[in-house]
Amino acid sequence: MKIGFIGLGIMGRPMAGHLQAAGHAIYSCANRTPMPDELLEGGAIACATPAAVATEAECLILMLPDTPDVEHVLFGADGVVQGVKPGTTIIDMSSIDPIATRDFAARLEALECNYVDAPVSGGEVGAKNAALTIMCGAKQHVFDKVRPLLELMGKNITLVGDVGAGQVTKVANQIIVALNIEAVSEALVFASKAGADPARVREALMGGFAASRVLEVHGQRMIDRTFDPGFRIRLHQKDLNLALAGARSLGISLPATANAQQLFSSCVAHGDAENDHSAMVTALERAANHLVSG
């Protein structure tokens, strides 16, 4: 299949690579990052604009940072709508506003295109290992059509509901992940300040009911002080903004989510917006005047 893939950053690059390795032709254009050499060497075609990508593609995948980025690529000058053909399927794997997603889908369906929102979880490691969790919103027949492509990039692939349901699920995912990072951060700061070895505390907790993927991976990052981004604080902060805005529109309270967002805001204020979201621990370390380790 001729696949357009726009958004070849930390996540998108390996995702497109899996599609290429399976024999699909990749068409892309520079967004914030240039076309990676490994994709070009594998036969990927560099196009000048999103419209040019859409002209070539039977299926178009987006992996972009935020709602305005998706809107610009789809509907801006030289955007996808300037070149897209009826029958094309657009799969947006970005994490963006569910309400905007439904609007984008309606505008593209008016052009006789199919739309799938399919945000992912699993970070850079999941993208590299083709082990992402993919949460989909689409009509059943459209989902069935694109599932073989999604299976090249992920393992746990679920059709949650119609368009927008995938983005709602991703927001819920980001709430859970943020609160887990906060819990692990607080636990390790407490343990270390109380004089226990945080590495051994983590090891002990991994054998009990407190065990989690966040404790396993991000707990180790906190101990090792390795905050190179797998998923940046500024992007998780964006996702929590979606959660809190959605909560306001629904008339509900998300107090723990709001607190996690404040901790991310503290990190951003100290210049850590580009660090991995596990660096939330640094906000709590500053408040305690104590490092987990180091």
Side-chain angles (χ1 to χ4, degrees), residues 63-217:
M63 189 63 186
L64 299 165
D66 204 349
T67 307
D69 301 292
V70 174
E71 183 171 25
H72 177 73
V73 164
L74 291 176
F75 305 109
D78 295 319
V80 165
V81 294
Q82 305 301 320
V84 74
K85 303 179 293 293
T88 302
T89 299
I90 292 94
I91 308 174
D92 182 19
M93 304 188 79
S94 320
S95 296
I96 67 169
D97 182 1
I99 296 172
T101 291
R102 294 181 180 120
D103 173 63
F104 298 163
R107 292 161 72 179
L108 284 156
E109 286 168 359
L111 299 175
E112 301 181 38
C113 296
N114 300 310
Y115 200 93
V116 181
D117 63 299
V120 304
S121 180
E124 183 182 9
V125 172
K128 287 182 174 179
N129 294 331
L132 294 167
T133 291
I134 306 177
M135 311 153 230
C136 300
K139 294 180 174 63
Q140 182 71 55
H141 73 279
V142 178
F143 173 75
D144 292 341
K145 178 182 177 182
V146 302
R147 181 163 189 146
L149 296 179
L150 300 178
E151 288 175 342
L152 296 172
M153 298 177 282
K155 296 295 186 186
N156 180 24
I157 302 165
T158 305
L159 177 62
V160 180
D162 208 343
V163 171
Q167 297 295 350
V168 169
T169 306
K170 178 58 186 289
V171 171
N173 179 87
Q174 295 303 80
I175 292 171
I176 293 170
V177 172
L179 299 191
N180 268 285
I181 293 173
E182 181 177 357
V184 170
S185 297
E186 290 190 11
L188 292 183
V189 168
F190 166 78
S192 178
K193 182 69 174 180
D197 180 345
R200 293 193 176 186
V201 169
R202 173 188 166 278
E203 181 181 355
L205 295 177
M206 282 300 299
F209 203 49
S212 70
R213 184 69 171 156
V214 169
L215 177 61
E216 178 187 359
V217 176

Side-chain angles (χ1 to χ4, degrees), residues 254-289:
L254 300 178
T257 303
N259 189 61
Q261 182 70 303
Q262 289 299 308
L263 292 172
F264 279 142
S265 294
S266 174
C267 293
V268 171
H270 284 83
D272 296 332
E274 300 302 316
N275 281 348
D276 186 78
H277 54 172
S278 58
M280 178 195 281
V281 71
T282 61
L284 291 162
E285 289 173 332
R286 282 188 289 268
N289 194 28

